[in-house]
Amino acid sequence: LALLLQAFTGNTALALRMAARCWAPGLITGAGGRLRVEGADAIDWLQPYLLVSNHQSVIDICALFAAVPKPLRFLLKQEMTGWPMVGWYAVRTGMLFIDRDNPRAAPTMLRAATALLADGHSLCVFPEGTRSRTGELAEFKAGPFTAAIKAAVAVLPVAVHGAGAVLPPDSLFRVRPGTIRLRFGTPIPAETVRGLDRQQLAQLAQARVQAMLEQP
């Protein structure tokens, strides 16, 4: 339905918000999940952000869609373009993709991410590069942070907890009831972002996410 409306109206923002209001909450509820969001009220959502989140499960994307009160795009793996329905939706709504097996694809992706952020849109990335099989936070890759530095936008750390228990990282269907907690941290302001290199920024963002994951 979102794709049909997008095709007839040309309104990509509407198709993205349908994810937040319709299918993302529906999939979380259908999986037996309950979403608890913390810190969203303290964020100025009129600004563009590079959101950086840990990655426990495919259902993380649903949680982020549902929690962010503005159209949100993701940096996804290239293989998702071949997924029926979901892949079509991702391509048509302007998601960005990275071919992890082709290092030469990174500059093109970074230019697209920088342009997206500079145009006032928000983008969510998972800097670990893949879903955590243990729940522990892996080292953040520095590459995606280049886009925030070049576009001079704030970086918003996000911590997702419990998603891997609801939908394990190695499964798309073995769901279990549980609570997914999503915490928004304090944004790293654009002024700070401009003064750091990408490695320093990645380390700072990782430390912020790790601290939130360790909160009771």
Side-chain angles (χ1 to χ4, degrees), residues 131-156:
R131 285 164 280 171
S132 172
R133 264 56 184 177
T134 64
E136 295 183 1
L137 190 66
E139 181 179 353
F140 278 13
K141 293 176 171 57
F145 292 90
T146 303
I149 295 170
K150 289 186 174 182
V153 300
V155 172
L156 178 55

Side-chain angles (χ1 to χ4, degrees), residues 90-136:
V91 171
R92 290 288 296 274
T93 53
M95 304 296 174
L96 302 184
F97 301 92
I98 181 67
D99 186 349
R100 294 180 294 186
D101 297 325
N102 181 11
R104 291 181 294 180
T108 300
M109 179 276 293
L110 288 173
R111 285 193 294 270
T114 301
L116 186 73
L117 294 168
D119 199 33
H121 302 290
S122 289
L123 173 68
C124 183
V125 302
F126 300 108
E128 292 170 283
T130 189
R131 285 164 280 171
S132 172
R133 264 56 184 177
T134 64
E136 295 183 1

Side-chain angles (χ1 to χ4, degrees), residues 15-29 33-38 40-41 45 51 58-74 89 95 124 158 160 180 182 184:
L16 287 169
R17 293 310 293 151
M18 287 183 70
R21 295 170 181 169
C22 302
W23 65 260
L27 286 172
I28 292 172
T29 301
R34 298 176 299 277
L35 180 61
R36 301 288 182 264
V37 180
E38 301 173 14
D41 292 343
W45 292 110
L51 289 84
V58 172
I59 210 169
D60 295 345
I61 294 174
C62 297
L64 284 154
F65 258 138
V68 175
K70 64 183 296 185
L72 181 63
R73 291 171 175 84
F74 290 84
Y89 176 88
M95 304 296 174
C124 183
V158 186
V160 180
I180 300 170
L182 193 149
F184 292 102

